[in-house]
Amino acid sequence: MSILLALAAAAVSPAQSTDIRCVAGLAIVANEQKRGSGWGDYPDVGDDGADFAGVVGGDVMKTTGKTREQVRDLILAAVADLQKAKTLDRAEIDKCAIRMHARIPTPPVPTMPRCAAIMALAYEAVKTRDGLTKDAKDLATLAAVLTYRAKEEAISVGRSEAEADALLGAERAKAAKTGGAPEAELRACATLAAPAGAR
């Protein structure tokens, strides 16, 4: 570890130093997976790694008083330190993956009406930002499937079609008020939109 990194990490605990190193290692793996330049046989760590980085960063800022920029510099220094080696230690990354999954809070299982609402909002956001791209069309399809299934689900428990529409409208308003949904929840909803045999 460089002298600069050692000094910068002096105010964090040993456990936090390990977390920071893990965030850095997982970021390197995620970057190589995204570029297709390595770690293709390893479970994708991009999304969970980003969530883990947020958890670790928040913890370090809260307990040490460091700013977001200072925490970012610690992570970048750890990345530089790891990159001095020609290859990452797979055993270390395995331990980091276990550490990551232990720290990431498990999101609640989304309901079908909630999924229909947030997927529709995601579609509208992408369409507004990028136009009617392939990604926007894919989101529109997912939103349509989830809306249909949410209505079916509501009607199957005795609600009228009007009541089902009102339920979806309420979920949409609630989701819009909170600013949409995290990526992990959208991924879970996309799974619910898949055919039953493909889930």
Side-chain angles (χ1 to χ4, degrees), residues 5 20 28 31 42 44 50 55 66-67 76 87 93 102 115 123 126 147 158 163 166 183-184 190 195:
L5 179 57
I20 289 169
I28 293 172
N31 185 52
Y42 203 76
D44 181 39
V55 170
K66 289 184 180 296
T67 64
L76 290 175
T87 58
I93 295 301
C115 281
Y123 156 67
V126 171
T147 297
E163 288 173 329
E183 189 68 28

Side-chain angles (χ1 to χ4, degrees), residues 44 50 82 114 147 161 172 190:
D44 181 39
L82 285 167
R114 163 79 177 170
T147 297
E161 188 167 344
R172 184 185 176 90

Side-chain angles (χ1 to χ4, degrees), residues 67-151:
T67 64
R68 187 178 302 277
E69 290 71 26
Q70 288 173 322
V71 173
R72 180 199 61 199
D73 289 344
L74 285 175
I75 295 171
L76 290 175
V79 168
D81 193 56
L82 285 167
Q83 287 177 329
K84 290 177 183 177
K86 290 185 178 179
T87 58
L88 288 176
D89 182 352
R90 194 179 185 97
E92 181 178 5
I93 295 301
D94 285 343
K95 290 178 182 177
C96 285
I98 292 171
R99 197 176 187 93
M100 171 182 70
H101 290 302
R103 293 289 302 279
I104 297 174
T106 303
V109 178
T111 64
M112 197 66 77
R114 163 79 177 170
C115 281
I118 63 176
M119 199 64 73
L121 290 173
Y123 156 67
E124 289 172 4
V126 171
K127 183 184 176 185
T128 299
R129 186 187 67 217
D130 304 328
L132 199 57
T133 60
K134 180 181 182 303
D135 286 344
K137 291 177 181 178
D138 288 344
L139 288 170
T141 299
L142 289 171
V145 170
L146 290 166
T147 297
Y148 174 76
R149 291 185 178 167
K151 284 186 176 181

Side-chain angles (χ1 to χ4, degrees), residues 172-188:
R172 184 185 176 90
K174 188 191 304 182
K177 189 174 182 180
T178 57
E183 189 68 28
E185 190 173 14
L186 286 170
R187 291 197 303 272

